[in-house]
Amino acid sequence: MATASEIAAVGVIGAGQMGSGIAQLAAAGGCAVLLLDADPTALSRAVISISASLRRLAAKGQLSQAACEDSIKRIRCVSAVQDLRDADLVIEAVVENEAVKKKLFVELDKVTKPSAILASNTSSISITRLASATKRPSQVIGMHFFNPPPVMKLIEIIRGADTSDEVFAAVRSFSERLGKSVICSQDYPGFIVNRILMPMINEAFWALYTGVATKEDIDAGMKLGTNHPMGPLQLADFIGLDVCLSVLRVLHSGLGDSKYSPCPLLVQYVDAGRLGKKRGVGVYSYGHRPSSVRP
Ligand code: 3HC
């Protein structure tokens, strides 16, 4: 099993916002990065956005020009799980769906070297259950990054029931090597951050749904009254309303308490395809806005 200093090659699966950000961090941290996505358009978009992000950091003097260009060169785009055979650590950031992730872990277990650590960036799915899809549950762990990964200072590490102390120590040191602070959560629904964040977002939806206030006032209240960088409804749009709903459903079913039951307005927005900023419309409109379902 690789120690933190031996983690030289990192596989990142999923070239969306989270996967791109994680790939950027690993490349800037000196690792060879294999960025995997079945969609070539997603891969080219990711490389453009990572390059732009690293060059912005170089322009601001936070990274030398040479380090910036070297980091970009360290990222190789690949399209098959087999291409990750040499990775010391694989971090998956694919869609938040347990069946999809489990299938991926089964494949990863077959193709990666026996010493490789397999990590999931899941927001709330049980690491223990993902680990059970493999023959190396002691080498499976949660590495929960926050959006946008290059900016947010935290990685929440989740220990599955069988995650070994060695794997935990390696992943903690590796996260620190990326410049992040680390917190450790046991494997219970929502872990630490989403267990607390999502009920707040849900409550903001209830406040909007029951007419307590306008969306602007709910957000301004939490931004100006509690110094949050974004109001909860704006943050929900930023995270993705589908992701918020999926985490709330995991909390509701996993903890069995009606206080986690998703607000009907959140459910309706997701049903209507109003998934937030990524779709141009959520609680707020970012350009295109469908005519149905208005708050
Ligand atoms: N990639 C790289 N850098 C970025 C970036 C990105 N995607 N977005 C913003 N930045 C950088 C900017 O370049 C800027 O850097 P500088 O200060 O050195 O110039 C800095 O971040 C601030 O950006 P902006 O001035 O454009 O905008 P803001 O000051 O409004 O900050 C924000 C943007 C960092 C997103 C801030 O609004 C924020 O912190 N929002 C809350 C984000 C949050 O809570 N994220 C966690 C969500 S929960 C989650 O992800 C878990 C999941 O499981 C649900």
Side-chain angles (χ1 to χ4, degrees):
M1 208 273 312
T3 62
S5 55
E6 287 161 3
I7 295 176
V10 176
V12 178
I13 310 182
Q17 211 172 3
M18 295 306 289
S20 312
I22 296 167
Q24 175 183 328
L25 281 170
C31 298
V33 176
L34 297 154
L35 179 58
L36 167 68
D37 201 297
D39 176 4
T41 317
L43 284 172
S44 7
R45 250 199 326 258
V47 170
I48 291 168
S49 106
I50 294 169
S51 307
S53 178
L54 286 167
R55 288 185 180 129
R56 252 194 329 269
L57 291 177
K60 285 190 281 195
Q62 290 170 15
L63 192 69
S64 76
Q65 199 59 48
C68 163
E69 296 308 320
D70 286 349
S71 302
I72 295 169
K73 280 189 212 133
R74 277 195 286 271
I75 300 174
R76 186 155 74 84
C77 293
V78 296
S79 57
V81 176
Q82 286 77 358
D83 296 323
L84 303 181
R85 67 182 81 82
D86 294 328
D88 302 303
L89 166 68
V90 177
I91 307 169
E92 71 77 16
V94 303
V95 62
E96 200 62 2
N97 175 307
E98 186 167 330
V100 172
K101 286 188 193 284
K102 268 192 168 160
K103 188 166 172 278
L104 186 57
F105 271 82
V106 169
E107 280 183 72
L108 284 171
D109 194 30
K110 283 188 191 137
V111 306
T112 55
K113 52 190 183 187
S115 60
I117 298 173
L118 307 181
S120 173
N121 176 52
T122 179
S123 304
S124 62
I125 294 170
S126 163
I127 299 302
T128 307
R129 286 206 298 273
L130 296 180
S132 73
T134 73
K135 294 191 177 72
R136 58 176 102 183
S138 65
Q139 286 162 240
V140 177
I141 194 161
M143 277 184 91
H144 186 204
F145 291 77
F146 293 82
N147 192 14
V151 177
M152 303 301 284
K153 295 186 171 64
L154 183 70
I155 297 178
E156 183 176 40
I157 299 183
I158 300 102
R159 295 190 68 147
D162 294 313
T163 308
S164 73
D165 290 345
E166 292 74 20
V167 165
F168 173 69
V171 168
R172 177 163 56 189
S173 311
F174 176 74
S175 304
E176 287 165 353
R177 195 174 123 196
L178 301 186
K180 301 298 181 189
S181 293
V182 164
I183 56 173
C184 174
S185 174
Q186 298 305 318
D187 188 22
Y188 293 110
F191 316 133
I192 301 171
V193 176
N194 280 333
R195 169 101 177 235
I196 298 167
L197 174 65
M198 291 303 166
M200 181 190 73
I201 287 177
N202 201 33
E203 204 54 39
F205 272 93
W206 278 105
L208 182 63
Y209 180 58
T210 55
V212 171
T214 62
K215 53 184 181 276
E216 291 83 3
D217 278 2
I218 292 167
D219 276 346
M222 296 307 288
K223 266 178 82 167
L224 306 178
T226 65
N227 253 2
H228 290 195
M230 286 174 165
L233 298 170
Q234 188 192 2
L235 180 58
D237 271 0
F238 182 69
I239 292 169
L241 300 192
D242 52 338
V243 175
C244 295
L245 179 59
S246 128
V247 178
L248 279 162
R249 285 184 167 145
V250 168
L251 288 171
H252 191 209
S253 68
L255 298 167
D257 190 323
S258 61
K259 74 179 175 184
Y260 300 110
S261 173
C263 172
L265 185 62
L266 171 60
V267 176
Q268 191 183 48
Y269 279 8
V270 173
D271 286 347
R274 296 174 65 145
L275 303 186
K277 209 171 169 200
K278 63 188 168 190
R279 284 290 170 85
V281 64
V283 178
Y284 294 93
S285 188
Y286 305 86
H288 151 77
R289 183 185 169 93
S291 54
S292 60
V293 198
R294 292 181 188 278

